Amino acid sequence: MDLQTVTYLVVGASFALYIGIAIWARAGSTSEFYAAGGSVHPITNGMATAADWMSAASFISMAGLIANMGYGGGLFLMGWTGGYVLLAMLLAPYLRKFGKFTVPQFIGDRFYSKTASTVAVVCLLTASLTYIIGQMTGVGVAFSRFLGVSSDTGIYIGQAIVFLYAVFGGMKGITYTQVAQYIVLIAAYLVPAFFISLQLTGNPLPQLGLGSTMAGTDVSLLAKLDLIVKDLGFDQYTTSIPGSTLNMFMYTLSLMIGTAGLPHVIMRFFTVPTVKDARSSAGWALIFIALLYTTAPAVGAMAKLNLHGTVNSAVGLETNAAGKLAVNPATVKANADLYATESSLQYEQRPEWMKRWEKTGLLKFEDKNGDGRIQYYNDKTKDADAKAKAAAAGWKGNELTVNADIMVMANPEIALLPNWVIALVAAGGLAAALSTAAGLLMAISSAVSHDLVKNVFAPSISDKNELLVGKISMAVAIVISGYLGLNPPGFAAGTVALAFGIAASSLFPAIMMGIFSKKMNKEGAIAGMLAGLFVTLFYVFAHKGIFFVKGTEFIDLIGGPNSFFGITPEAFGAVGAMVNFIVAVVVDKVTKEPPEHIQHMVESVRIPRGSKLVDGAH
Amino acid sequence: MENNSASGYWKATLGLLTKILIIWFVVSFGAGILFAPALNSISLGGYPLGFWFAHQGAIYIYIALIFWYAKKMGDIDRQFDVHEE
């Protein structure tokens, strides 16, 4: 069977499974729709949280960015896992004890103010929508290559499917669908990684393979990769950082705080039966997440090595008799000349996968020196050696452009793995994007229908109409995010990082102070959220355009890109969070204490005894 | 529950949180970022150590921290008799 047929079969089968589960587990009551009736086991919940969490950014985009960034890519790895420690200790058990099912509900009750909960809804919607834009970008990449449609069409198909099961399933349906999606996506990630690690190092475990020697040699894989990329003028793989150390620090911190402040993740901890389960649930989620996150650095590094090895024979990889990419120990040990004319791959002899990706426009070749060969190197290098060698070899600039978002999807093709593996990766990428989009839509719909319409505008709304409003708001969110996804502000992972910054600067500090500071009052919390959200959005929109609409950037107003101590907009959430804390504390000091009953409520939230089933009552 | 044990419980909780947050910070921002260049001179198999912390080690330690926290909190709950029935 050819690749296209296998892909249709595997992707089709996985979709049938998800939709089947969604129909089987259709929600009856509002409580089931939003919180699965509080009946989900911690391990099941952990797996669903992992699927919810690991989005297109984790699955499709992250390893590619790590391949580009090297060591600095660790900020995604630590940032998107370290936040779980904060979540498990600072928020999850207390919010579970509180016993309501949305984040704005907690903020509204704790700060005894409908204004506070409305501000929280605004923060939630901004963060979630930005996040979904990143998902839609990922869906577009996945469909464009594997179903042979344009990236735009891919986004439309994705919108329709997300809408279908988010609307019909509700939280319970989503929880079980997400368990299935987790299994599909983790298999899709690990299987090719096993194969590739085995090919390159002889060790099938990518976590160990990355720290091993290349098969048949005593040359360490990372040392070899360092040597090759440095010789070609790129930054050394194991030490390169994005911008400054300060920026890496703030970027990591933003992602961590954002993780703990993202409403669609926090919501998951409302679905476990007890406070005790809420604590360990985060640990289970992190185990399932770590399976992918500890594999990703190996996928990134090995994909980079394979890519260089494909276009430059001096790297020491060759296609063996079985048609797989394999290590040639002699060439690896000899450190052959990367700049020799014969080393660069002839364009006419490029492998099939390159031709397939060229069609999507995400991989491009331009023969700048007209020799019919592909020269892939960093032509903007400051390294005098690399410059001199390139000039002596008659290279006239880098000729291959590879979009970072295709690295994972193309990875099994680059390694020349069997068709079923390639098809599986397509199904996995879609599972990742769709599961997260569905979780985000749940958060959006509950915020609009429950926290805005029922709480503020129409308290007497019936259960049935409340669900209807929720479904309508999902549809609106899908349309908006799809529209912005056609013209995204960056790679999937970069866009998603912005969403984390927004959550970090607005929601996390308010929730945390609500639990850990008995005296924090509504004036402080509201002022803090607004200040944090405002400075972060101001800095982000200055770089990326107002609501990410191209052409509305106002970068000059803030004195050029990254003008705040060299911090990039993706890393700015940590600064926003600090502003939030400071403003909240100052305003709190000059306004009056929260009423007695609120202080008692905080005391009761802090102890586990007396936890009850989640309900939506105000 | 009387007030004394409530404040004792909260104090014990905050003590545990502080300990864990310090380890969390040292692993991520110390070993993984600030001291990574220095640690890179040590190798762990084929991994430079600082690189390993940022790309592998920190994640394993986070998992251990959460389960340790869950277990310790269970102990504290029982000690102050505030656990769920």
Side-chain angles (χ1 to χ4, degrees):
Chain A
M1 260 191 292
D2 70 337
L3 178 58
Q4 204 60 45
T5 317
V6 178
T7 306
Y8 280 127
L9 279 179
V10 174
V11 172
S14 67
F15 276 21
L17 177 68
Y18 309 147
I19 294 169
I21 293 174
I23 292 171
W24 166 71
R26 273 178 67 170
S29 70
T30 2
S31 167
E32 273 197 347
F33 191 74
Y34 290 128
S39 62
V40 181
H41 188 272
I43 297 184
T44 315
N45 192 53
M47 223 183 264
T49 309
D52 206 339
W53 175 245
M54 291 192 291
S55 58
S58 297
F59 187 95
I60 300 175
S61 192
M62 188 174 68
L65 281 181
I66 294 172
N68 276 357
M69 294 164 74
Y71 158 75
L75 65 90
F76 292 114
L77 297 165
M78 290 193 291
W80 281 335
T81 53
Y84 273 82
V85 180
L86 302 181
L87 186 59
M89 297 193 316
L90 304 180
L91 309 185
Y94 305 110
L95 291 176
R96 175 63 194 83
K97 172 65 197 300
F98 181 70
K100 296 291 167 66
F101 51 54
T102 74
V103 169
Q105 217 170 11
F106 170 77
I107 290 183
D109 285 8
R110 165 60 184 86
F111 297 112
Y112 47 97
S113 149
K114 286 191 178 175
T115 315
S117 86
T118 309
V119 171
V121 170
V122 171
C123 299
L124 183 154
L125 291 179
T126 316
S128 303
L129 268 174
T130 309
Y131 204 145
I132 301 188
I133 299 170
Q135 301 310 308
M136 289 299 175
T137 315
V139 171
V141 172
F143 273 113
S144 69
R145 164 63 191 81
F146 285 101
L147 300 184
V149 296
S150 75
S151 159
D152 292 2
T153 314
I155 289 177
Y156 301 137
I157 298 176
Q159 283 178 319
I161 290 165
V162 170
F163 181 73
L164 273 180
Y165 74 72
V167 165
F168 294 118
M171 196 63 164
K172 195 170 178 196
I174 285 182
T175 299
Y176 291 111
T177 310
Q178 282 175 334
V179 170
Q181 283 167 330
Y182 175 76
I183 293 166
V184 170
L185 85 86
I186 201 69
Y189 208 81
L190 296 183
V191 168
F194 287 154
F195 273 116
I196 291 166
S197 180
L198 189 65
Q199 282 175 7
L200 286 176
T201 67
N203 191 328
L205 277 185
Q207 289 83 349
L208 298 178
L210 184 59
S212 305
T213 53
M214 291 181 72
T217 71
D218 55 1
V219 182
S220 140
L221 183 135
L222 282 169
K224 183 70 190 174
L225 184 58
D226 270 348
L227 202 68
I228 290 164
V229 296
K230 194 153 189 323
D231 201 26
L232 290 171
F234 297 98
D235 288 333
Q236 180 163 305
Y237 190 79
T238 54
T239 57
S240 67
I241 56 167
S244 60
T245 303
L246 174 70
N247 187 51
M248 178 155 173
F249 190 104
M250 298 304 269
Y251 204 144
T252 311
L253 190 59
S254 289
L255 297 184
M256 285 177 173
I257 306 177
T259 300
L262 271 174
H264 77 288
V265 182
I266 298 176
M267 266 178 96
R268 300 239 58 121
F269 296 94
F270 302 148
T271 62
V272 292
T274 63
V275 172
K276 194 163 158 276
D277 289 337
R279 292 177 188 145
S280 60
S281 217
W284 286 110
L286 190 55
I287 287 183
F288 294 121
I289 291 166
L291 268 177
L292 188 144
Y293 271 63
T294 56
T295 306
V299 170
M302 290 174 187
K304 193 178 179 85
L305 192 64
N306 278 340
L307 180 62
H308 280 292
T310 303
V311 296
N312 194 316
S313 62
V315 169
L317 302 181
E318 59 186 18
T319 312
N320 66 10
K324 306 267 181 299
L325 207 61
V327 178
N328 178 339
T331 322
V332 169
K333 280 190 265 195
N335 286 330
D337 183 8
L338 296 163
Y339 289 90
T341 312
E342 295 300 310
S343 298
S344 299
L345 179 74
Q346 280 178 318
Y347 181 64
E348 287 309 317
Q349 290 174 5
R350 70 195 186 283
E352 286 299 313
W353 69 264
M354 280 192 159
K355 294 177 193 162
R356 289 195 290 259
W357 281 99
E358 273 174 329
K359 282 186 204 144
T360 66
L362 299 169
L363 180 139
K364 288 191 201 90
F365 169 70
E366 186 194 345
D367 196 0
K368 290 181 181 156
N369 64 352
D371 66 350
R373 291 174 182 273
I374 303 173
Q375 277 99 34
Y376 178 46
Y377 70 113
N378 181 12
D379 51 8
K380 293 179 188 65
T381 185
K382 293 194 176 73
D383 184 340
D385 271 1
K387 261 189 185 159
K389 283 187 196 168
W395 293 8
K396 300 237 166 72
N398 176 44
E399 299 179 346
L400 186 69
T401 324
V402 184
N403 181 307
D405 278 352
I406 75 169
M407 280 299 234
V408 168
M409 300 302 260
N411 199 22
E413 300 177 81
I414 300 176
L416 307 174
L417 297 180
N419 281 352
W420 68 268
V421 179
I422 301 172
L424 186 62
V425 172
L430 293 169
L434 296 175
S435 63
T436 306
L440 288 161
L441 289 169
M442 266 341 274
I444 290 175
S445 99
S446 63
V448 172
S449 66
H450 203 81
D451 303 318
L452 214 53
V453 174
K454 189 178 171 94
N455 190 15
V456 181
F457 296 120
S460 58
I461 191 169
S462 69
D463 250 26
K464 201 173 153 215
N465 283 338
E466 190 190 333
L467 279 180
L468 183 68
V469 171
K471 286 169 183 179
I472 293 170
S473 51
M474 278 190 192
V476 173
I478 290 173
V479 171
I480 296 176
S481 59
Y483 172 74
L484 290 169
L486 295 173
N487 217 340
F491 291 125
T495 309
V496 166
L498 294 171
F500 280 76
I502 294 166
S505 64
S506 56
L507 293 171
F508 176 81
I511 305 171
M512 196 185 150
M513 287 183 293
I515 298 162
F516 287 84
S517 162
K518 241 192 302 192
K519 306 271 181 202
M520 180 51 64
N521 60 17
K522 66 175 177 188
E523 289 84 358
I526 294 170
M529 282 191 284
L530 288 175
L533 183 69
F534 178 76
V535 293
T536 308
L537 286 183
F538 188 79
Y539 198 75
V540 168
F541 288 169
H543 288 82
K544 307 278 180 185
I546 296 164
F547 291 101
F548 310 112
V549 175
K550 292 268 182 301
T552 58
E553 298 86 357
F554 49 92
I555 195 72
D556 295 335
L557 207 62
I558 60 161
N562 310 334
S563 52
F564 190 81
F565 297 102
I567 291 172
T568 55
E570 291 85 0
F572 199 76
V575 179
M578 284 171 209
V579 170
N580 185 332
F581 277 119
I582 294 167
V583 168
V585 169
V586 169
V587 172
D588 180 53
K589 285 276 178 273
V590 298
T591 46
K592 68 171 193 276
E593 270 194 11
E596 197 68 22
H597 73 277
I598 293 294
Q599 301 193 30
H600 284 306
M601 185 183 89
V602 176
E603 274 168 17
S604 88
V605 161
R606 288 175 179 181
I607 55 165
R609 177 156 302 165
S611 68
K612 57 179 176 54
L613 207 64
V614 183
D615 69 49
H618 281 279
Chain B
M1 186 180 54
E2 55 176 313
N3 238 348
N4 262 351
S5 78
S7 66
Y9 173 75
W10 192 238
K11 221 173 138 190
T13 306
L14 292 181
L16 178 65
L17 294 189
T18 312
K19 253 189 268 177
I20 294 177
L21 284 177
I22 290 172
I23 302 174
W24 167 83
F25 185 85
V26 168
V27 169
S28 331
F29 297 96
I33 297 179
L34 297 174
F35 304 115
L39 291 174
N40 278 341
S41 56
I42 307 167
S43 39
L44 185 80
Y47 282 112
L49 191 58
F51 176 86
W52 180 80
F53 266 107
H55 280 220
Q56 299 273 312
I59 301 174
Y60 301 128
I61 295 168
Y62 298 148
I63 295 176
L65 284 178
I66 295 180
F67 282 104
W68 184 47
Y69 159 79
K71 185 182 173 301
K72 279 283 172 191
M73 275 312 289
D75 294 347
I76 296 175
D77 285 352
R78 273 186 297 278
Q79 188 191 333
F80 288 91
D81 191 34
V82 294
H83 55 282
E84 293 154 299
E85 284 80 13

